[in-house]
Amino acid sequence: MKRIPVILDGDPGHDDAMAWMVAAASPMLDIKAVTTVAGNKDIENVTTNTLNVCSLFGIHAPVGKGAHGPLVVEGITAGDFHGKTGLDGADLPPSDRTLSQYSAVELMVRVLEESEEPVVIIGTGAQTNLATLLLYRPDLKEKIEAFYIMGGGIETGNWTPAAEFNILVDPEAARIVFESGVPVVMSGLDVTEKALVYPEDVKRIRSIGTPMGDIVSGWLDFFGETHAAMGYEGWPLHDPCAVLSLIKPEIFIIKDAHLQVETKGLHTRGQVLADFEDQERFNGKAVLDLDREAFIDELIKAVEHFNGREELI
Ligand code: RIB
Ligand code: CA
């Protein structure tokens, strides 16, 4: 099977880490680079976490450190939402990875220039690196197959009533990406707030009985505590939707759409608006729903992929 070349860009964060675990476990993907962007935590923290999870999952692609903050405005982070380390809930083995000499965008440029075929960029954080790449090398657009992103929410936000966190961190960057002409497949809160993990799912993962099962169930326990404190019965695992909508689209409801980012609104800055009628203006797809059981099964399959790979841990 011809594997899809991908670049993973994110801000780990528990759900980024689990998205990257799914990517690392998939025979369909060829991970060409992993790049970091400030968001859940500051750039140093998310980059340290990235090196650690790449080591844990045996991702040998180069890691490039990216944007310290948004294009225009002051950056925001998610504080201790993901814990002090940004990956609380499990102790990871020491990392064997070092940072690339190239920054995130330099690495993206090299991958796109060297790839014989267009590359899919999977973004699970603010889109600052993606926008910078487009501004710096618009000629490379033709080498980007699509942006599969976690971000936005047509029906609602999670950081403001209108805006989802990844988009709100850098609305100007998201607007550049959405208006670039490169197709965007958006896994927004419409689907990710249905990608719920319940305690019985965590129990299934822990019962796998491997070090990876222990790490992932530990992460989910922590992630669950944070969400339970906010009144959630199941906790939304946002970022794996961006990877699974590429490799398992059949478990999702995905609709062609015209997606726009509001950058000016006093109360609506960072909102993503979707139009499903005007086909002339379609610039991508909105992922709207999923088969939750199938989603959990894919997560478990990814954990089990590492059975017998104890040398990684
Ligand atoms: O709003 C959820 C998104 O913000 C997820 O990608 C999470 O990791 C944070 O980056
Ligand atoms: Ca993220």
Side-chain angles (χ1 to χ4, degrees), residues 11 13 15-16 40 82 124-125 150 158 164-166 189 238-239:
D11 59 342
D15 51 338
D16 301 78
N40 278 321
H82 293 263
T124 55
M150 190 279 139
N158 63 357
E164 176 279 329
F165 180 76
N166 286 342
L189 300 173
H238 304 284
D239 292 337

Side-chain angles (χ1 to χ4, degrees), residues 21 205 208 210 212-213 216 299-307:
M21 174 185 69
I205 291 171
I208 295 170
T210 60
M212 193 64 82
V216 172
L299 213 53
I300 288 175
K301 265 166 52 181
V303 175
E304 290 172 338
H305 167 81
F306 296 93
N307 288 359

Side-chain angles (χ1 to χ4, degrees), residues 18-40:
M18 284 179 266
W20 294 355
M21 174 185 69
V22 172
S26 172
M28 291 178 66
L29 301 182
D30 176 10
I31 301 171
K32 293 293 190 184
V34 183
T35 53
T36 66
V37 60
N40 278 321

Side-chain angles (χ1 to χ4, degrees), residues 22-303:
V22 172
S26 172
M28 291 178 66
L29 301 182
D30 176 10
I31 301 171
K32 293 293 190 184
V34 183
T35 53
T36 66
V37 60
N40 278 321
K41 298 295 256 188
D42 68 31
I43 191 63
E44 299 306 331
N45 197 155
V46 300
T47 302
T48 300
N49 289 345
T50 296
L51 291 169
N52 289 339
V53 299
C54 284
S55 176
L56 176 67
F57 300 137
I59 298 175
H60 295 290
V63 174
K65 183 170 154 186
H68 291 61
L71 294 179
V72 175
V73 294
E74 192 62 35
I76 58 173
T77 72
D80 284 347
F81 193 79
H82 293 263
K84 288 271 174 277
T85 68
L87 279 177
D88 281 22
D91 293 325
L92 302 188
S95 167
D96 64 4
R97 303 302 317 280
T98 53
L99 210 48
S100 166
Q101 64 179 349
Y102 299 107
S103 70
V105 175
E106 288 167 334
L107 209 46
M108 288 175 166
V109 167
R110 291 172 66 84
V111 168
L112 295 178
E113 283 179 334
E114 289 164 11
S115 180
E116 284 170 18
E117 57 206 309
V119 175
V120 171
I121 298 180
I122 302 176
T124 55
Q127 298 176 25
T128 315
N129 296 333
L130 280 46
T132 305
L133 167 68
L134 292 167
L135 293 170
Y136 174 50
R137 290 293 301 272
D139 61 301
L140 289 176
K141 278 187 195 175
E142 62 191 24
K143 295 297 290 291
I144 307 172
E145 177 70 23
F147 291 110
Y148 277 71
I149 61 118
M150 190 279 139
I154 298 160
E155 297 299 325
T156 179
N158 63 357
W159 221 254
T160 74
E164 176 279 329
F165 180 76
N166 286 342
I167 305 294
L168 185 65
V169 171
D170 199 343
E172 282 73 20
R175 180 176 173 189
I176 289 166
V177 170
F178 280 55
E179 295 182 358
S180 67
V182 175
V184 174
V185 180
M186 181 182 93
S187 290
L189 300 173
D190 315 284
V191 64
T192 69
E193 292 274 354
K194 298 168 189 162
L196 297 173
V197 177
Y198 290 96
E200 55 269 27
D201 303 315
V202 182
K203 218 175 282 173
R204 276 179 69 190
I205 291 171
R206 182 164 280 115
S207 70
I208 295 170
T210 60
M212 193 64 82
D214 294 344
I215 287 170
V216 172
S217 52
W219 281 343
L220 288 168
D221 283 343
F222 179 87
F223 202 58
E225 282 159 24
T226 311
H227 283 84
M230 293 158 59
Y232 281 82
E233 283 178 23
W235 28 104
L237 212 48
H238 304 284
D239 292 337
C241 291
V243 174
L244 286 166
S245 57
L246 172 62
I247 60 177
K248 292 291 281 187
E250 63 272 21
I251 72 169
F252 295 93
I253 302 290
I254 304 174
K255 282 183 75 175
D256 291 333
H258 177 228
L259 300 166
Q260 284 179 290
V261 180
E262 174 57 62
T263 57
K264 299 274 183 289
L266 179 60
H267 303 295
T268 56
R269 177 169 159 79
Q271 182 173 11
V272 174
L273 300 150
D275 170 49
F276 297 104
E277 304 304 325
D278 186 352
Q279 298 185 19
E280 297 294 309
R281 300 178 70 199
F282 282 174
N283 60 343
K285 300 174 184 291
V287 186
L288 299 171
D289 204 345
L290 84 167
D291 174 339
R292 192 198 73 84
E293 298 289 336
F295 174 83
I296 297 295
D297 288 346
E298 289 302 317
L299 213 53
I300 288 175
K301 265 166 52 181
V303 175

